[in-house]
């Protein structure tokens, strides 16, 4: 059962969802940033593992119509629908998150693929 937005329970629940969402986002964003660094350092196994984790997240997003499942959970506890209502990120970053990190991830996969094929 969903409680009405605006209650103390809803505020606590939204805070918990936002905290979890931000932590999970930080893990995946960090992985995306670290993949090319690991690749350039020759740490291809580490780069592959990080890539696999990110590909898992990509699959989750694809299965949820490119929306994080935590966004739907957060929506139960607030009427706010700003780009960052469900995560502690600046609004501009939340708005462009998939474009920014999707591009970085695609580039990192090209770099990793080249490194693996060149070895």
């Amino acid at each position: 059962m969903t409680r009405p937005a605006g209650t103390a329970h809803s505020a606590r629940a939204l805070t918990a969802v936002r905290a979890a969402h931000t932590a999970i986002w930080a893990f995946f964003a960090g992985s995306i940033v670290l993949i090319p660094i690991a690749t350039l350092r020759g740490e291809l196994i580490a780069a592959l593992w990080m890539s696999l984790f990110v590909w898992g997240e990509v699959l989750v997003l694809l299965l949820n119509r490119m929306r994080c499942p935590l966004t739907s959970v957060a929506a139960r506890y607030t009427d706010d629908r700003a780009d960052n209502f469900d995560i502690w990120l600046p609004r501009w970053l939340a708005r462009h998150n998939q474009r920014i990190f999707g591009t970085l991830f695609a580039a990192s996969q090209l770099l990793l693929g080249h490194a693996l094929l060149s070895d």
Side-chain angles (χ1 to χ4, degrees):
M1 178 175 135
T2 302
R3 296 183 190 241
T7 65
H9 175 269
S10 293
R12 285 190 306 274
L14 181 59
T15 297
V17 172
R18 289 181 87 189
H21 197 180
T22 304
I24 293 165
W25 175 88
F27 173 80
F28 286 112
S31 294
I32 289 169
V33 169
L34 289 173
I35 292 166
I37 294 169
T39 301
L40 292 171
R41 291 180 54 146
E43 299 170 5
L44 301 183
I45 299 300
L48 278 168
W49 275 108
M50 287 184 279
S51 292
L52 286 173
F53 287 129
V54 175
W55 277 112
E57 174 66 1
V58 169
L59 180 61
V60 168
L61 291 172
L62 287 171
L63 293 173
N64 287 284
R65 291 177 251 143
M66 296 309 292
R67 185 175 173 164
C68 178
L70 290 175
T71 299
S72 297
V73 174
R76 297 178 195 160
Y77 301 108
T78 182
D79 295 326
D80 184 2
R81 293 299 180 267
D83 292 315
N84 62 345
F85 83 94
D86 59 335
I87 193 166
W88 286 317
L89 292 177
R91 189 171 287 163
W92 69 267
L93 183 54
R95 181 178 301 129
H96 301 291
N97 180 53
Q98 288 183 356
R99 186 174 306 119
I100 293 167
F101 287 97
T103 300
L104 290 173
F105 183 58
S108 77
Q109 295 305 278
L110 292 172
L111 180 66
L112 178 57
H114 180 269
L116 290 169
L117 294 173
S118 297
D119 235 11

